Amino acid sequence: MVCETDFDCPGTQICYIDVPWNDDRESFCNCSSWFGWTGFPECTELGLQTKLLLVALSFEVLVAGMFTLLSILDGYHVFTNSKMKLKDTTRLSILFSTLAILCHLCWKSVDILILLAPEKNTFQLPNDENEKYHDYIPVERGAAVMTMIFSVITAAHVSVLWIEVAYSTKHLVVGQMVKFKKYKQGLYLMEVAFAVMLSVIGALGQFYIAVFISYPVVLLLCVLYTVGYRQLRSTLQQSLSMHSQDRNQFEYSHLRSVIKSVRRTALVVIGSLYMVIIAGGIYGTLSIIGWQEFSPVGGLSIVFWANEAFAIFVLIGVCAVRLFAHESLHAFKTRSLHRTGSKDDNMSFTLSSTLPRKVKGLKKEERGLSHSEKTHDMDL
């Protein structure tokens, strides 16, 4: 059947025009190769791509579900424990990481529902008169956009905190602290701008454009994590050396675990960000050329799997950050109990609590800060 748009095709079939994997006809109707459905003409059977995708999505949902539960338990403990005093930055970091994973869970759960209901692939978006979409696509896109927004905010918060903690232990003059505060304000402004742009693009359905717009933000996060990791590693190594000299075995062991955790988190997040760039680049470029050209019916779609790899590496990065926060919380509680036992009634959850007083307890005059600008404990 000759066609010009998807709505020229009956049922759930879509229109293919001048695709290289079929030289017989210039245009024809067939099952949607994006989700991998087969069984022409009804197109309600699960093909190879559909089955493989169900396995990948089930794994993502399982991982996201486990980390969502972990986040809820940690959040409940932190927000209901009156003995554990948290600053706003820490609370926001816990909140955003939890929301990012929860949105990812919703995103991939909807994808599973889409795959299992091919008969609903008849929806028409108001701004697209040529392509058919699944009835659940608006919900799926909304969850995807919120996942990206909260994931970027989560990554940005932790990277800045690392830099902030490292800098708080050094001799900073007032001018340097003011510059750093302006730098943080600029980063938060960028997060708001990114959220607005991504929301608008998501509403228009141009996700491949969103990938390229996200590149500057992702590259900035790579730089932030690299700088933050190096600065914090230097500070923790100095602290480790002091505890080694003092022969405090518990503090020495504690700091070694913190350094290892920071290093693992930085490497996983930076690696995930670079993979997001690669997968996003493949998805965006091939989408501009035309995703149907690379998606034969009954086969595997390179474009679709690049898109799915993009989502998987986003999840890996966010989970690495969330695991770091969980381990830090657990380590702090263990350290507090070791120091004060059950009598501890003023727990303050901060990353700089891992630093010895010789490092974090610099006098106000030594740091060149006024009383109002003096930093005490920097939160995780």
Side-chain angles (χ1 to χ4, degrees), residues 16-219:
Y16 296 89
I17 302 176
D18 293 329
V19 290
W21 43 269
N22 190 322
D23 299 328
D24 297 338
R25 293 167 289 177
E26 291 184 0
S27 66
F28 61 96
C29 297
N30 209 321
C31 305
S32 174
S33 58
W34 180 258
F35 294 108
W37 296 314
T38 58
F40 184 84
E42 290 80 10
C43 299
T44 55
E45 297 179 11
L46 306 184
L48 175 63
Q49 173 153 304
T50 313
K51 294 175 182 178
L52 292 176
L53 184 57
L54 281 173
V55 175
L57 290 176
S58 298
F59 174 76
E60 289 183 68
V61 167
L62 177 62
V63 172
M66 292 173 58
F67 274 89
T68 298
L69 179 60
L70 179 67
S71 299
I72 293 174
L73 293 176
D74 281 349
Y76 175 80
H77 175 79
V78 167
F79 284 87
T80 59
N81 191 344
S82 60
K83 296 181 180 181
M84 184 171 291
K85 298 181 179 180
L86 295 177
K87 295 184 180 180
D88 290 340
T89 311
T90 302
R91 293 180 183 273
L92 289 175
S93 296
I94 295 174
L95 175 62
F96 287 137
S97 61
T98 301
L99 289 175
I101 296 175
L102 182 60
C103 288
H104 200 111
L105 175 63
C106 295
W107 176 15
K108 295 308 167 182
S109 296
V110 173
D111 277 345
I112 291 178
L113 294 178
I114 289 176
L115 292 179
L116 297 178
E119 69 279 0
K120 295 182 180 295
N121 192 52
T122 58
F123 183 70
Q124 180 178 355
L125 292 176
N127 59 341
D128 192 342
E129 299 178 353
N130 298 321
E131 295 187 36
K132 289 179 182 178
Y133 295 89
H134 198 279
D135 290 354
Y136 301 153
I137 281 296
V139 178
E140 191 254 5
R141 286 186 171 180
V145 168
M146 297 308 296
T147 298
M148 291 304 303
I149 291 174
F150 287 129
S151 296
V152 167
I153 294 176
T154 297
H157 265 73
V158 175
S159 63
V160 170
L161 283 171
W162 284 359
I163 299 175
E164 194 172 42
V165 171
Y167 281 176
S168 71
T169 65
K170 298 182 178 181
H171 299 262
L172 299 183
V173 297
V174 175
Q176 290 174 313
M177 289 298 294
V178 171
K179 288 181 179 180
F180 185 66
K181 289 180 180 179
K182 290 182 178 180
Y183 167 76
K184 287 198 301 179
Q185 292 172 353
L187 184 65
Y188 297 151
L189 181 62
M190 179 210 69
E191 292 176 1
V192 174
F194 175 76
V196 172
M197 288 190 299
L198 201 63
S199 298
V200 172
I201 294 173
L204 296 175
Q206 306 299 323
F207 276 92
Y208 59 90
I209 298 178
V211 170
F212 292 114
I213 291 180
S214 302
Y215 268 20
V217 178
V218 175
L219 290 173

